[in-house]
Structure formats: structure tokens, C-alpha cells
Amino acid sequence: METFLIRALQLVFSLSLLVIIHEGGHFFFARLFKIRVEKFYIFFDPWFSLFKFKPKNSETEYGIGWLPLGGYCKISGMIDESMDTEQMKQPPQPWEFRSKPAWQRLLVMIGGVLMNFLLALFIYSMILFTWGDQYIALKDMSYGMKFNETAREIGFRDGDILVSADGKELTRYNVDMLRSLAEAREVVVLRDGKKEQILMPEISLLEIAKEDPPFVDMLIPNVVDSVLADGGFAKAGLQKGDSLIAFNGTPLHSWNEFTEQLGELRLRSEVEQKSSASFSLVYSRAGVRDTVNVTTDDQFKVLAYSMNPGYQPTRLTYGFFESFPAGVALGINTLKGYVNDMKYVFTKEGAKSVGGFGTIGSIFPKVWDWQRFWSMTAFLSIILAFMNILPIPALDGGHVLFLLYELVARRKPSDKFLEYAQMVGMFLLFGLLIWANFNDILRFVF
């Protein structure tokens, strides 16, 4: 329950900030061009609001709605989420959106997306300035990588050190590396001190990202580093420095393989409704092999940890002014990756993977970590900016599309057309919202 509340609080805090910044972008340009803003709301307020106030001599009512699906600025003389068509039947007024030049209306509409993108770049810059960047370079992973069955069928071998994908150097183990592997036609690895070329078939990033065990993982040596008292390993007599040789007769070449075998044993035991499990383990100590029986606890754990490979991380620090170009580069790279992955949404598996508030909340850490929180907030700001600029009616991108048409054709779409387009767009968005959260419910139940 505590984990749920921490994640829920982070989600609400993050989304509230992003909504304020987004709507603030619309508000800023509207007031810059002397367009009246009637309402500025966090969350939607059909029928009633949780809180509202209107400063003295102000034209704008500020408030908090009860429906946490975003927020809005109600701009005079515009067909928007409020669907205030009665106002549009009155003669245009000089302070209304519809009375302003098309270029000013265009800036008002892109203001939210612009502010979200700039916010993400600023957050990324401040993250690098405050915490810097730290990672273990792939070239420094001397034990190489661990690959699953899919990867081995392609041609990878456990212990391979990843070098490049289609001629581009692979530097760090993250989703960008996995994306590069999925989209490459040729991958170069270092195997036994020699470079080997692996021809890649057409594979889906979405599919390999879901595989368990992972398509590629850091290879952990099959050497015991520590043993906790009263655990399965301690009771069987294993000690720090012992090398694991075989699990129930299956050879072990890495700690990864040991955890995989332990996981499969757990699944079988749960099907048989057993509360623990036993297995035969061959190990080596000072060159002498021995075989013991190990029994797990009721969580199917043996309370032992593997040897740390001892890789030294690469640390990058940034001064205040240095952080901004680095933050911009990180933000643009994040946007490119997200846009690139959007193609998977239109596949069968991609449609199933679409998630709602539960999925978004799950990306936040289980404990409050400011670095992770701001990193996730910057990522969500990138997503919000991109999704809002899509040319879908009811989104900012839909309004931008109609304004671009007006600039080219030199005539406005009719108010009736804009009204119908807004209704269709809202129908599509609510349908997507329902589908995304329905997927979350299915994942939770099944």
C-alpha cells in the first residue's frame, strides 16, 4: 500500500506540473496577443470543480477540476474542450481568438507543446548539472553479455562484447542499445579477442524487449560473493568464492543461468503447489568439485549473491553552462527514440502494450528518488509534447493543422466543421483512454 501511495503521489505531482506548464504555454501567448482567457484549470471540471477562484479585476477564473484527464485554458472565441458553441454565435469581439491573425493563433496553439518540450530540455540539463551521468561502457564489460535463446539463434554467443551496430559504436547498456540491435542489419562483436560480424534478421524491438530472460543482459560470473545465514546456500555449506558448475545436471556458465534455472524451478513448484523446492548443485572450491542438495525458503530464494564483476563506471560531470547543450542533446535523442518506437503502436502487440494511468504510475520508483522522479517527468513531458502535436482533432496538432490550411488556402474552415471535428477528436481520445486503462485492468487481473 505504501508503494502504491508513493507512486500515486509522484504521478499526480508530475502530471500536475506538466499540465500547468502546458496550459501555461497557451495562456502566455494568448495574453501576449491580448486574447481573453476565461478559465485556467488543472484537470477537467464537468458539472463542478474542487476549487476555483477569480482574482479581483481579472478576466480569468483559476481552478482544479475533479476529472484527472489533463487540463485546459478556455480561450474566448475558440471551439475547444468546453464546446461553448453559444459564444461562437455572437459577433466576433476584438479580444477573441477568432479575431486575431492566423500566425498569432498558431503560436497560441503550439505554445503548450513548445513549453513542454522546453521544460523537458531544462529538466534534463538540471539532472546532468546536479547528478551528472554515470554508466558502465560496453567495451569495459570484459565478461561480455548474456544472450537468450532468440539471440543465440541469430548468432550471438554468451561472452560476446558488443562493439557496433551498422557501423555505429555501441557505448552503453540501455534501451537505445537494444533499439540499435533491433534495427541493425549487421552487428559487430568482440569474441575471444577477435571481431565477428553477425547478420541481423528483421526483428521487433517490442517483442525482444518483452522477452524473459532478456534478449541481452550483463553477464554475471557464476561465483558466489556472499552467503546469508540460515539461507539455502549457507545450510548446504557453500562459501564466498565457490564457483557454480551445474544445476540439477544442467551446466552453468554464468550466474544468469543459475537464476534462470531457479526461476523455472519455482514455476514448476508453484504449479505443483509446493511452498519450497530442492535441487542438486555441483560447485567447485579451490579446484575441487562437490555436489550438494540445496533447499530454498518459502520465497524460493537461497539467500546468496553473485560476485560483482568489478566494472568501473564512466562518470561524466557538467558545469552549469555545459549542462544545457548536453541536456538538449539528451532530450532530442529521447524524442527521436520515442517517435521511432511509435510505429509499434499500430501492430497487434503494440495495441496490447498501450497503457493508462497504471502503466504511467508504474514507471516511477517504489521509493521517492528525486533523480528518477525528474527523469520520468522529463520523459513524460516529451511524450505529452509529441502526442499533443499529432494532427488529431481536439489535440493541439489538430488545431494547428486547420490553421495551416487557413494560411495556405487563405480561408477559414467553417465553425460547424470545427465543431464536428472537435467532437470526433474527443470521441477518439476518450476511446483511446478507455482502451489504455482497460489494458491496465487486464494486466492487473491476469
Side-chain angles (χ1 to χ4, degrees), residues 235-247:
K235 291 177 180 178
L238 276 87
Q239 302 175 5
K240 179 178 180 178
D242 290 347
S243 299
L244 309 185
I245 305 299
F247 185 110

Side-chain angles (χ1 to χ4, degrees), residues 150-214:
T150 302
R152 290 196 294 270
E153 289 176 354
I154 292 173
F156 292 100
R157 297 292 179 267
D158 289 349
D160 285 351
I161 299 174
L162 296 170
V163 176
S164 65
D166 284 345
K168 182 180 179 181
E169 182 183 5
L170 297 172
T171 56
R172 61 177 75 186
Y173 177 59
N174 57 14
V175 70
D176 288 335
M177 179 210 71
L178 196 60
R179 184 182 297 113
S180 296
L181 293 179
E183 297 179 353
R185 300 279 66 86
E186 180 184 272
V187 173
V188 175
V189 300
L190 194 63
R191 182 181 298 165
D192 298 327
K194 298 180 180 179
K195 288 186 176 181
E196 298 282 347
Q197 293 180 337
I198 298 174
L199 299 180
M200 298 292 292
E202 290 189 8
I203 55 177
S204 166
L205 172 63
L206 188 64
E207 292 178 2
I208 65 173
K210 288 183 174 182
E211 291 184 351
D212 186 22

Side-chain angles (χ1 to χ4, degrees), residues 137-148:
L138 289 171
K139 63 181 178 61
D140 293 335
M141 295 184 182
S142 55
Y143 289 100
M145 309 302 289
K146 168 68 179 173
F147 299 91
N148 69 6

Side-chain angles (χ1 to χ4, degrees), residues 6-7 9-10 13 127 130-131 363-377:
I6 291 174
R7 281 178 162 168
L9 184 60
Q10 291 180 90
F13 184 22
I127 289 174
T130 305
W131 291 285
I363 70 175
F364 287 95
K366 296 179 181 180
V367 295
W368 198 288
D369 181 326
W370 281 111
Q371 183 177 1
R372 287 281 306 279
F373 170 79
W374 286 118
S375 180
M376 292 300 100
T377 299

Side-chain angles (χ1 to χ4, degrees), residues 153-403:
E153 289 176 354
I154 292 173
F156 292 100
R157 297 292 179 267
D158 289 349
D160 285 351
I161 299 174
L162 296 170
V163 176
S164 65
D166 284 345
K168 182 180 179 181
E169 182 183 5
L170 297 172
T171 56
R172 61 177 75 186
Y173 177 59
N174 57 14
V175 70
D176 288 335
M177 179 210 71
L178 196 60
R179 184 182 297 113
S180 296
L181 293 179
E183 297 179 353
R185 300 279 66 86
E186 180 184 272
V187 173
V188 175
V189 300
L190 194 63
R191 182 181 298 165
D192 298 327
K194 298 180 180 179
K195 288 186 176 181
E196 298 282 347
Q197 293 180 337
I198 298 174
L199 299 180
M200 298 292 292
E202 290 189 8
I203 55 177
S204 166
L205 172 63
L206 188 64
E207 292 178 2
I208 65 173
K210 288 183 174 182
E211 291 184 351
D212 186 22
F215 182 85
V216 56
D217 199 0
M218 184 188 299
L219 192 146
I220 307 297
N222 54 338
V223 178
V224 179
D225 180 69
S226 58
V227 177
L228 302 187
D230 299 324
F233 267 29
K235 291 177 180 178
L238 276 87
Q239 302 175 5
K240 179 178 180 178
D242 290 347
S243 299
L244 309 185
I245 305 299
F247 185 110
N248 279 346
T250 302
L252 298 174
H253 303 97
S254 64
W255 193 271
N256 312 66
E257 293 180 354
F258 169 70
T259 57
E260 290 171 17
Q261 291 292 330
L262 195 60
E264 292 178 6
L265 180 63
R266 173 177 181 168
L267 291 176
R268 291 195 300 268
S269 299
E270 288 178 340
V271 170
E272 298 170 0
Q273 297 184 339
K274 294 180 179 179
S275 59
S276 63
S278 297
F279 58 91
S280 171
L281 182 71
V282 179
Y283 71 95
S284 173
R285 179 183 301 164
V288 179
R289 293 192 178 193
D290 195 4
T291 302
V292 294
N293 286 320
V294 180
T295 301
T296 71
D297 61 14
D298 56 3
Q299 298 296 316
F300 296 93
K301 296 179 179 179
V302 295
L303 301 183
Y305 297 94
S306 62
M307 183 187 80
N308 188 323
Y311 300 139
Q312 293 300 313
T314 299
R315 291 185 175 87
L316 302 176
T317 58
Y318 298 87
F320 182 75
F321 294 106
E322 292 175 319
S323 67
F324 287 99
V328 169
L330 178 57
I332 292 175
N333 184 64
T334 302
L335 176 61
K336 285 181 178 178
Y338 184 74
V339 172
N340 179 78
D341 296 344
M342 276 298 293
K343 61 178 177 285
Y344 297 113
V345 173
F346 303 101
T347 65
K348 183 178 179 180
E349 286 299 317
K352 292 180 181 179
S353 69
V354 173
F357 293 112
T359 298
I360 298 173
S362 68
I363 70 175
F364 287 95
K366 296 179 181 180
V367 295
W368 198 288
D369 181 326
W370 281 111
Q371 183 177 1
R372 287 281 306 279
F373 170 79
W374 286 118
S375 180
M376 292 300 100
T377 299
F379 180 59
L380 289 178
S381 197
I382 291 280
I383 294 175
L384 186 60
F386 175 74
M387 295 300 293
N388 263 284
I389 205 62
L390 293 176
I392 300 174
L395 292 177
D396 296 343
H399 293 287
V400 169
L401 179 65
F402 298 141
L403 283 167

Side-chain angles (χ1 to χ4, degrees), residues 37-41 45 49 51-55 58-63 72:
V37 179
E38 299 175 12
K39 299 177 78 173
F40 185 104
Y41 264 68
D45 62 328
S49 60
F51 170 78
K52 63 180 179 181
F53 78 100
K54 189 173 184 179
S58 174
E59 301 168 339
T60 306
E61 175 184 294
Y62 301 89
Y72 72 101

